[in-house]
Amino acid sequence: MLSFASPQFTASSDMCVGSLVFSRWLVIAAAITSQREKTKLPTHISLDAVNCADWLKGLILDGIVAGVGAGAEILVCTALNYADSLSVSSVGKPILLVGDTLTAAQKAYLSSLPSGCSFTIVGGTNAVSADIEAALGSYGTVDRLAGATRFETSVLVAQRYFSAPDAAVLVYALDYPDGLCAGSLGRVLGAPVLLATTESTSAPAAYAGARGIHTGYVVGGPTRIDDSAVVSILGLASADCILVRTTK
């Protein structure tokens, strides 16, 4: 099992808002000795099937591993882009990735789910179509979280699933590698993953300001989300509050 020790930082109150410190994580990495140990797959599911070339047939990997019980909520994101999946990566619920239509394998899986399951589509109809929304209605109740932009959608996710977070995890919105590392960190911290860029800070800043969040982690270097953007989003006194952490 992977775990992240909570870093302990201190700063004088004249340097940082409320003596809270923002930490920039450049790299988060962990060595996994066994792929089966990593995923905790039941023995009847082969690794080849999970890593199949037709990756939509992977269905809901988290659901297969953890088990989807009666009344479970399943998040639905497009498989053809990454932004919405990054936004829900720290929520801790099973995720169904979809293309233009539900595949036969997906329909079979959804038909096998216990009663009372619900689906929350993340993203607008350009990401997950109204046709798929209607099709999901055959398997349970359907809701949609969609902002005008990917930045606003990530805030809607944070508002719904994180009632009183102490921190936020910021990731670059226009590429996915840093965000892939951020979900596990956010899950451990109980923190939402917020999408941002140096130029696009208004949505995460409004969310952090409304929640009084002045502590967080940014995964990626300042060429992605620069220090001025971090200061703006978290309401820090200055860039002096940002601690840079790198691998040794």
Side-chain angles (χ1 to χ4, degrees):
M1 178 179 294
L2 301 180
S3 63
F4 294 89
S6 298
Q8 300 298 315
F9 300 125
T10 59
S12 62
S13 59
D14 61 342
M15 287 179 59
C16 302
V17 175
S19 298
L20 297 173
V21 177
F22 188 91
S23 176
R24 183 184 290 281
W25 286 54
L26 294 182
V27 178
I28 299 173
I32 304 297
T33 57
S34 165
Q35 190 172 8
R36 185 171 293 277
E37 179 182 2
K38 175 184 177 182
T39 57
K40 301 298 183 185
L41 288 173
T43 55
H44 68 279
I45 298 176
S46 71
L47 291 175
D48 287 341
V50 171
N51 296 319
C52 59
D54 181 4
W55 44 284
L56 285 179
K57 290 182 181 177
L59 298 172
I60 313 171
L61 178 57
D62 287 344
I64 293 171
V65 175
V68 175
E73 179 185 9
I74 297 169
L75 305 178
V76 182
C77 301
T78 178
L80 307 178
N81 206 327
Y82 54 84
D84 297 328
S85 295
L86 294 185
S87 294
V88 301
S89 60
S90 65
V91 170
K93 293 182 180 292
I95 301 171
L96 172 66
L97 299 180
V98 297
D100 295 329
T101 61
L102 294 178
T103 67
Q106 287 175 320
K107 291 177 182 178
Y109 179 79
L110 294 173
S111 296
S112 73
L113 292 176
S115 62
C117 289
S118 63
F119 302 90
T120 298
I121 297 171
V122 182
T125 53
N126 287 335
V128 177
S129 70
D131 287 343
I132 286 184
E133 182 175 0
L136 289 172
S138 299
Y139 307 100
T141 59
V142 184
D143 188 17
R144 185 186 289 268
L145 289 176
T149 66
R150 62 184 60 191
F151 309 99
E152 294 178 11
T153 297
S154 73
V155 166
L156 291 176
V157 170
Q159 289 172 337
R160 173 169 295 190
Y161 296 108
F162 298 88
S163 59
D166 296 322
V169 179
L170 303 184
V171 302
Y172 184 61
L174 304 183
D175 207 352
Y176 62 87
D178 296 331
L180 291 178
C181 300
S184 296
L185 175 62
R187 182 67 177 154
V188 170
L189 296 173
V193 171
L194 299 178
L195 304 185
T197 67
T198 293
E199 298 79 15
S200 299
T201 61
S202 58
Y207 171 81
R211 295 297 192 278
I213 298 174
H214 304 294
T215 300
Y217 301 81
V218 56
V219 182
T223 59
R224 298 298 200 179
I225 304 174
D226 71 14
D227 289 354
S228 65
V230 173
V231 169
S232 174
I233 293 169
L234 292 175
L236 302 179
S238 73
D240 291 337
C241 299
I242 301 172
L243 303 181
V244 177
R245 309 195 76 192
T246 63
T247 54
K248 299 297 185 181

